């Protein structure tokens, strides 16, 4: 595993160039943040890398997925802010809106059965892959995916006006 970690570090210049191509050449700080987050994820998951396969491709996939997750998160935040502005409630600052959304989400989750709540938290908060969650519960991955789908639907119902994208982003 140490060898993989050394090889990951040697790929940083390539990952940085790839990150710049994703965020744009004028956004070097964003590219550096993306590289840092991607390398952190790769180092945490180094034990899952299969020797003899394309390390650079694996790292590029992690970088691309990290970039896309960030774009999706940003999109949901922007959409939520637009919805709040359109509602006419301009007296509440954005941090308060986010805090309110988090409080509503936590309250809704407390009403769910433990296994549904834990599965969603493992995926959304702890960022564990669905395959890891399936192994933890000793269940087929399809069962975990179905549970997540049902839990997201329940969360949308509990949160009422929150868009499906916002709820999905909580569990992405």
């Amino acid at each position: 595993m140490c060898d993989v970690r050394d090889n990951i570090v040697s790929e940083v210049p390539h990952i940085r160039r790839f990150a710049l191509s994703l965020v744009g050449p004028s956004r070097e700080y964003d590219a550096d943040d993306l590289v840092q987050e991607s390398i952190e994820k790769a180092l945490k998951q180094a034990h899952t890398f299969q020797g003899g396969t394309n390390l650079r491709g694996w790292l590029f996939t992690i970088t691309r997925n990290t970039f896309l997750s960030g774009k999706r998160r940003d999109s949901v935040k922007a959409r939520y802010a637009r919805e709040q502005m359109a509602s006419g409630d301009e007296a509440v600052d954005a941090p308060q809106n986010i805090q309110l959304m988090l409080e509503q989400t936590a309250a809704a989750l407390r009403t769910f059965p433990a296994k549904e709540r834990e599965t969603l938290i493992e995926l959304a908060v702890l960022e564990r892959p669905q395959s890891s969650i399936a192994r933890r519960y000793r269940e087929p991955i399809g069962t975990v995916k179905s549970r997540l789908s049902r839990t997201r639907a329940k969360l949308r119902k509990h949160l009422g006006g929150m868009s499906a994208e916002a709820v999905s982003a909580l569990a992405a």
Side-chain angles (χ1 to χ4, degrees):
M1 184 159 64
C2 187
D3 185 38
V4 171
R5 290 173 184 254
D6 292 340
N7 290 335
I8 288 173
V9 172
S10 70
E11 291 292 328
V12 169
H14 301 287
I15 296 168
R16 186 166 193 284
R17 279 194 296 277
F18 181 59
L20 279 167
S21 75
L22 292 172
V23 302
S26 63
R27 298 177 54 198
E28 289 187 31
Y29 293 116
D30 291 335
D32 291 340
D33 289 345
L34 177 58
V35 169
Q36 181 177 349
E37 188 175 350
S38 300
I39 294 297
E40 182 180 328
K41 287 180 180 182
L43 291 172
K44 283 182 183 177
Q45 295 299 316
H47 65 281
T48 66
F49 178 73
Q50 296 176 356
T53 60
N54 184 350
L55 177 64
R56 188 174 297 167
W58 183 69
L59 294 169
F60 279 16
T61 299
I62 291 171
T63 304
R64 184 199 56 184
N65 290 344
T66 302
F67 172 75
L68 293 174
S69 292
K71 293 297 263 182
R72 185 173 51 241
R73 236 184 340 266
D74 292 346
S75 172
V76 168
K77 286 179 185 176
R79 187 176 300 116
Y80 183 75
R82 283 192 306 272
E83 288 173 1
Q84 292 304 310
M85 293 298 283
S87 73
D89 189 11
E90 297 176 23
V92 180
D93 292 339
Q96 292 171 327
N97 287 340
I98 293 170
Q99 181 65 32
L100 179 62
M101 182 177 83
L102 290 173
E103 288 172 5
Q104 291 171 342
T105 302
L109 285 174
R110 283 191 290 273
T111 67
F112 292 1
K115 204 167 199 179
E116 289 180 359
R117 181 177 57 248
E118 290 169 8
T119 302
L120 188 65
I121 289 171
E122 284 189 50
L123 183 77
V125 178
L126 302 177
E127 297 182 347
R128 292 196 175 121
Q130 292 177 355
S131 58
S132 170
I133 298 168
R135 279 192 305 275
R136 179 177 182 266
Y137 288 117
R138 295 187 174 121
E139 296 174 336
I141 193 159
T143 302
V144 171
K145 288 181 178 185
S146 295
R147 182 179 306 122
L148 285 166
S149 178
R150 288 189 308 272
T151 305
R152 287 177 181 145
K154 286 168 92 173
L155 191 55
R156 275 192 295 274
K157 183 178 177 186
H158 274 65
L159 297 178
M162 188 182 286
S163 68
E165 294 84 9
V167 172
S168 293
L170 292 170

